[in-house]
Amino acid sequence: MKVPSLRRLGFALAAPAMAVAVALVVSSIVLVISGSNPLAAYSDMINNASKLETSIDILNRATPLYISGVAAAIGFRMNLFNIGVEGQYLLAAFFASVAGGAVNLPPIIHVSMVLLVAMAVGAAWSGLAGVLKVTRGVNEVISTIMLNFIATGGIIAGLIVVWQDNTGQVNSGTTPIPKSGRMPDLNSWVEIFTREIGKGRRLTGVLLIAIVVGVAYHLFIDRSRLGYEFRASGYNPFAARAGGIAPKNMVLWAMFLSGAIAGLVGMVEVLSDSYRYDQSFVRGLGFQGIAVALLGRNTPLGIIVAALLFGFLDASAGTLQVSGSASREIVVIMQATILLAAVVAYEVVNRLRQKDEAKTASALLAGSAS
Amino acid sequence: MANAIELVGITKRFPGVIANDNVNLTVEMGEIHAVCGENGAGKSTLMKILYGMQAPDEGRIMVNDIEVKLTSPSDAIELGIGMVHQHFMLADQLTVMENVILGSEPMKRGIIDLAGARRHLTEVSESYGLTVDLDDLVETLEVGERQRVEIIKVLYRGADVLILDEPTAVLVPQEVEELFHNMRDLKAAGTSIIFIDHKLDEVLEIADTITVIRQGHTVATVKPGDVTAHELAELMIGSELPSPQTTASTVTDEVALTIDGLTVLDIDDRAVVDNVSLRVHRGEIVGVAGVEGNGQTELINAIVGTEPQSSGTITLFDNDISLASVAARRGLGLAYVPQDRHQEGLLLAAPLWENAALGHHTRPPFAKGIWFDREGARARTEQIRAAFDVRTPNVDVPALALSGGNQQKLIIGKEMISDPKLFIAAHPTRGIDVGAQAAVWQDIRDARAAGLATLLISADLDELIGLSDTIVVMLRGRLVAILDPAEITPRDLGAYMTGVAVQQGAA
């Protein structure tokens, strides 16, 4: 069994390695054309990432990306494209901020309440697309995109004026969540490993939630019966149906669960950064999550690697600008080429792997028959 | 005489199998050349290579004694090679003429020259004696007529070499005769025909030359006058033909499945299953005969629960399952082998143990509370592998790495091993080799002896007659005859299937 599992590992690593290599080549070409030195830019990025404060930065950025990636992956595992993570997390963050800012509760209960509101709102908003698909046959891609606009341009834009904390600030937003409803940072944990001071950076406590989400996602998708039904529906919906897996139930479950996790994406900001929903609330994490899930092949571990990679690239954007070795947009180009190359590379490697497996199977059979 | 087609040393490898291994085939001009062999022997692959759909790994293709390279079907059409696929590729909503000219419309000043097309088409169909009304909508045509449209379509494009891929598979005996008549006319007009078949009597009747392929090799090229059906069978399988005969009746009085007045409507509210009533007893195999598309698929789907019924009741022992979910029906002991194992039976990319769990994943040994029991699933799959002779190196390989026969044995094994009470088998031996076929028949017979109630749907009339205790015939959604397999021949059965013969009081 040693050799086949090594082969499998080789196949698993081949695609991301190819993708990163292609991205490096493409980015280098772009850098050269725009008059920058690629080697200088890359060494700036790597030098910078080895600094403690950048590491914390990367983790803080990777945390919401990971949660968002898992939310998208839940749908992808059964060929449902929840493009609505964006609207779901923004709407969830908005209502969770309003709810969290409106009450005063004991610490743990207060945080839990905010989390629950966020998950419930996310699940409801995503579930709406699920219900539309099951009852009226509306394609979830279309409904979730439209629900994104309704969430941000309609509900949030309409209600934030009503619920904003009118303290005369330029950047108006909801009432900040009081101390009891905030997640403590993990800087004390960082100090266990290093005495270096993080230069004002705070490692977000939501990282713990992301870890719980990751473990739960693994147990759910790889170990539970419902997870098996998810994967079976994703592999072959017709066979799944003939096997007694009701397709409509699966769609509803997938959209609810995906939405519930999506609801947690904004919690880094709500529980450990700005403590409220304001005009400059971070956007785009939902769409980045789709990229992260694709790059991570929808697996719990793969999404971690993808989220860290994207977090690293995001964190590098600022560095490049400061050092002047390249423009910050190169990071977006890199993310895009990695993703594009990854999708192609996965398909190529997948075909090679299937051929290899079939060949090994028949070779082993021939060996055992003679 | 010159050779229309010559294939020399064709080799084609697929993952896990060598479909063609140094195959040679020579077709003379103006002859009917049969290529026969079991399912999976490599006939279809060879034809796809000749039609430019697949490139051979090795070997040469010669057309009219000139070596050619085919990279797509349009190359083949250019060279006068036309193919009629087993599954027709016609647009139902268009007329016969529109279908024929589709893709090569004759143009005159930027608009389709319908009058010219009609003239040309009438010429073509008359000169080959192929009669069909050019203005009929294809959806109104019988299977045999559709096939004729496909043939006209190919001839219209100037083919002088015709490939027919299992043309008789979808036809009833009367239609087969008509097809053979057409084939002789085509031959008289100078067309070379390559046709694929594995029904020996048909091959001996129509072919001028027969090439036998077994496991990817050409084993022999013979003239029909020189061999008997028996010898041909031995060439095809390399040993004696197994037969699907069942032994003494094991039918009991206990009714397992009761269907009363079952009606299923299609999307246009037409009854595709029309007021069907049926009983299947424990220990009984009820065979459902019918030309494909007469409601058998919808009948099975309604019993399994994947398609809603509009009226009637389905009772499994004492449980009314008319409205139950698929999962509930399976929980009551319903086992199901779908007609298309790739479409409905397998998770091709998933390992065997995940496939074995499908349909049984809510119960031990596959489930442990809310968790999926991976160890239990592996152990059960090992058990299936041993008991049903599924040839695989281990249970962790994906289902797609298995040959068709082994995939089917896995599906039948996973359904049988859970001690079902009702077994729905749709075309259980379609597309698998003779060895696996014999194993599947034995599995069904064993289950029957153990008291299982079986509903068998098959297009293979020998299989139906050989295995069934009772045969019912479906025609246009209705049960039109109940027959005793001991007293019926495939020919008679064909007559009931097409409505030529009618049983009094059956419906």
Side-chain angles (χ1 to χ4, degrees), chain B residues 5-20:
Chain B
I5 299 287
E6 195 177 353
L7 299 176
V8 185
I10 299 287
T11 298
K12 176 74 186 175
R13 298 180 196 86
F14 288 116
V17 328
I18 300 178
N20 287 157

Side-chain angles (χ1 to χ4, degrees), chain B residues 470-493:
Chain B
T470 309
I471 292 181
V472 297
V473 180
M474 270 191 102
L475 179 65
R476 295 190 199 97
R478 296 172 155 272
L479 287 193
V480 292
I482 298 172
L483 305 166
D484 180 353
E487 294 167 0
I488 189 130
T489 63
R491 218 193 133 73
D492 295 340
L493 196 49

Side-chain angles (χ1 to χ4, degrees), chain B residues 1 52 149 153 162 200 259 262 277 404 462-463 497:
Chain B
M1 205 188 276
V149 176
K153 203 165 110 183
L162 207 56
L200 305 177
I259 299 175
L262 181 72
S277 298
D462 292 323
E463 176 174 277
M497 286 160 64

Side-chain angles (χ1 to χ4, degrees), chain A residues 256-278:
Chain A
F256 276 121
L257 287 175
S258 177
I261 301 299
L264 296 174
V265 171
M267 291 302 104
V268 176
E269 182 117 350
V270 171
L271 292 176
S272 64
D273 191 3
S274 66
Y275 311 114
R276 62 176 196 154
Y277 191 101
D278 55 32

Side-chain angles (χ1 to χ4, degrees), chain B residues 53-101:
Chain B
M53 292 164 79
Q54 278 167 352
D57 296 329
E58 288 161 33
R60 292 181 299 144
I61 301 169
M62 323 245 260
V63 178
N64 298 327
D65 295 329
I66 300 163
E67 181 162 354
V68 294
K69 217 172 153 52
L70 304 170
T71 54
S72 74
S74 36
D75 289 355
I77 292 167
E78 197 97 332
L79 289 163
I81 302 171
M83 180 151 170
V84 174
H85 297 270
Q86 198 177 343
H87 302 285
F88 303 147
M89 300 179 176
L90 297 172
D92 278 354
Q93 304 298 323
L94 299 182
T95 65
V96 170
M97 185 168 85
E98 287 165 338
N99 263 288
V100 171
I101 63 174

